[in-house]
Amino acid sequence: QRLCHQLGVPLLIYDVDPSRCEAGGLEELAGCTLVIEAVAEDLELKQDVLIRIQSVLQPNAFILSTTSSFTADDLSARAPDP
């Protein structure tokens, strides 16, 4: 957060639990060009979150994952547009 602020880069933090951050709904990610997914190392959870994120992003947006356990193919297996 501090680095984004120093660089003047807008930052939006979204959490599946709205009480844990200031962001509104997932649709607020629609204008983002880069999203970093950082949920627990649970494949089904990560896939669900990635599908939800992808549903609101523009086609040219990038989605990064913090996973250390799964391949990109694992994560995108259920995605409509991997």
Side-chain angles (χ1 to χ4, degrees):
Q1 289 176 335
R2 185 178 308 131
L3 178 61
C4 287
H5 178 73
Q6 289 172 347
L7 295 174
V9 175
L11 174 67
L12 173 66
I13 299 174
Y14 172 82
D15 195 301
V16 291
D17 178 354
S19 68
R20 296 166 69 173
C21 64
E22 298 175 11
L26 188 64
E27 60 279 349
E28 288 191 41
L29 298 177
C32 294
T33 54
L34 173 66
V35 174
I36 302 170
E37 165 277 311
V39 299
E41 288 294 291
D42 175 299
L43 182 58
E44 187 173 331
L45 175 61
K46 283 188 175 286
Q47 289 173 333
D48 288 345
V49 168
L50 292 170
I51 289 168
R52 290 173 56 201
I53 290 170
Q54 187 179 13
S55 74
V56 299
L57 293 180
Q58 297 298 316
N60 63 339
F62 292 92
I63 304 173
L64 304 179
S65 177
T66 61
T67 188
S68 59
S69 302
F70 306 111
T71 66
D73 287 339
D74 292 337
L75 296 176
S76 65
R78 294 178 35 217
D81 184 20

